[in-house]
Amino acid sequence: MADPVSIEFLYEPDCSSTEVALARLRETCREEAHAGGIAMVEVTSDEQAAALRFPGSPTIRIDGRDIDTSGDGSERFALVCRAYRLPDGRITPFPPKELIRTALRDATRRRSVSLSAGR
Amino acid sequence: MATESSVRNSQLWAQDHPLPFGSKAPAFELLEPATGRKRRSTDLDRTDVLAVYFICNHCPHSLAWEDRLLAIARDFSDSVSSVFIDPSDPVRLLPDGGPAFPEDAPENVAAHAREKHFPAPYLVDPDQTVADDYAAVRTPHAFVFTRAAGLVYRGTVDDNEEDPSAVTTHYLRDALEDAAAGRSVRTPETPLQGCGIKRSADQYPGKRG
């Protein structure tokens, strides 16, 4: 059986998106029976944001990959709240649950494929 | 020795020194990028109720609530004078030399105001002097004043920023209705959800102690 995927939650303490986003992530992990934990990474300076390639708060990475692959093409790494898009195109400060779920399932699938290939 | 929160032009100072209820609206004179004119608060204050909204172009919280704020400003335009202020520092630089808030450059504030048909002036406060005078902490942050009672409301817009159809309490609308009717505001203060207003003088504005 594959190890659980690794999940990182990067956040700026000054951005008030954290509570809702983290609750959403935890709920999705429960629903998807994710067995591992969530590594919390606090980002407190623009320098740290640049070093971590942190595009805004919150950023969720699963097995090192950002859950939001749509991107806006910008390479700004800074202490800002991050914008996500709802399915109808509206901006939200919180990562939509389906985005988290899809990323979690994709990462789990990649782990399984990788394990099968290694047998 | 001065503590961090005793320093004005600091977000922590603003958090710790909210504008007291009953205060008159602090006066200001700020640039309106859409017209290139300086606007004075005394010229904008044409009704018994004045609403001052700190918003910005880069914050998803502010953007999520923006259409509702604009609708409120339109709906109350007969009884409430509204003004929007962007307190972002457009020349704040990142370690790579790029701008931290390019969306808040004056030309982008002007374009945004035109594109969204702002019903009231959208001004810029690039050094956060006015944000400090109001002790504005986040975007969005709403302040409602009446001529008779001074500051009667400070806080957020409503209780669901992500889904307008799921809002159960319209804090700001309620406050404006009460203020315009000369009643006491039923909920004078509400908790803020939004992006911290970065002060130019703060190196790590989100970090306390």
Side-chain angles (χ1 to χ4, degrees):
Chain A
M1 188 174 158
D3 289 336
V5 297
S6 73
I7 301 180
E8 283 178 300
F9 185 92
L10 297 88
Y11 67 101
E12 179 204 356
D14 189 38
C15 173
S16 56
S17 311
T18 301
E19 195 179 330
V20 170
L22 189 56
R24 211 169 264 188
L25 173 60
R26 286 184 170 137
E27 188 176 282
T28 311
C29 285
R30 271 197 304 276
E31 289 167 0
E32 296 295 309
H34 168 66
I38 298 169
M40 302 292 290
V41 180
E42 185 178 276
V43 185
T44 57
S45 71
D46 286 332
E47 289 76 11
Q48 190 188 1
L52 292 169
R53 299 182 68 77
F54 171 74
S57 187
T59 287
I60 300 171
R61 290 179 184 150
I62 302 182
D63 278 350
R65 295 190 190 201
D66 199 306
I67 63 163
D68 188 355
T69 53
S70 62
D72 62 359
S74 71
E75 286 287 296
R76 173 175 57 180
F77 304 114
L79 291 183
V80 292
C81 294
R82 184 168 177 177
Y84 292 87
R85 291 273 177 188
L86 291 165
D88 65 6
R90 283 182 297 121
I91 286 177
T92 173
F94 312 118
K97 212 168 159 188
E98 281 314 305
L99 194 65
I100 302 172
R101 192 186 312 282
T102 300
L104 203 48
R105 287 180 179 176
D106 287 349
T108 305
R109 197 174 303 119
R110 279 195 301 273
R111 284 275 181 122
S112 301
V113 168
S114 161
L115 189 69
S116 303
R119 272 188 193 136
Chain B
M1 186 177 145
T3 60
E4 191 176 8
S5 62
S6 71
V7 179
R8 200 178 137 93
N9 198 231
S10 141
Q11 191 181 332
L12 292 177
W13 182 90
Q15 277 173 220
D16 293 345
H17 300 82
L19 190 65
F21 289 108
S23 302
K24 297 292 174 202
F28 55 79
E29 182 177 0
L30 292 171
L31 176 69
E32 181 182 33
T35 60
R37 291 165 51 203
K38 287 271 183 97
R39 305 295 297 264
R40 284 198 187 93
S41 51
T42 45
D43 298 336
L44 302 169
D45 187 7
R46 57 181 173 74
T47 52
D48 284 342
V49 183
L50 170 69
V52 179
Y53 304 122
F54 289 86
I55 64 168
C56 69
N57 290 356
H58 76 265
C59 173
H61 294 272
S62 192
L63 294 171
W65 262 309
E66 187 177 86
D67 285 349
R68 277 170 272 176
L69 267 177
L70 297 179
I72 288 169
R74 285 187 195 101
D75 292 348
F76 285 87
S77 60
D78 288 342
S79 54
V80 177
S81 304
S82 298
V83 59
F84 296 88
I85 298 175
D86 184 336
S88 307
D89 177 358
V91 297
R92 181 186 175 94
L93 295 179
L94 297 174
D96 66 2
F101 308 125
E103 304 93 332
D104 300 288
E107 62 272 22
N108 292 330
V109 169
H112 191 73
R114 282 193 286 266
E115 183 191 339
K116 298 298 292 279
H117 304 289
F118 269 50
Y122 188 13
L123 314 179
V124 291
D125 176 29
D127 59 7
Q128 303 89 45
T129 304
V130 178
D132 284 340
D133 288 343
Y134 282 74
V137 174
R138 296 190 178 278
T139 55
H141 197 163
F143 296 84
V144 178
F145 303 85
T146 67
R147 285 198 205 284
L151 179 66
V152 294
Y153 179 79
R154 57 179 189 228
T156 191
V157 182
D158 58 44
D159 64 358
N160 195 319
E161 64 185 288
E162 195 172 54
D163 184 0
S165 67
V167 171
T168 58
T169 310
H170 299 265
Y171 303 121
L172 179 60
R173 275 187 184 276
D174 291 348
L176 291 171
E177 276 176 17
D178 289 340
R183 298 187 295 261
S184 294
V185 169
R186 63 198 91 171
T187 308
E189 183 167 31
T190 52
L192 293 173
Q193 294 290 317
C195 304
I197 297 173
K198 306 279 191 286
R199 264 58 176 186
S200 304
D202 280 356
Q203 190 177 7
Y204 303 122
K207 196 167 175 65
R208 183 187 278 270

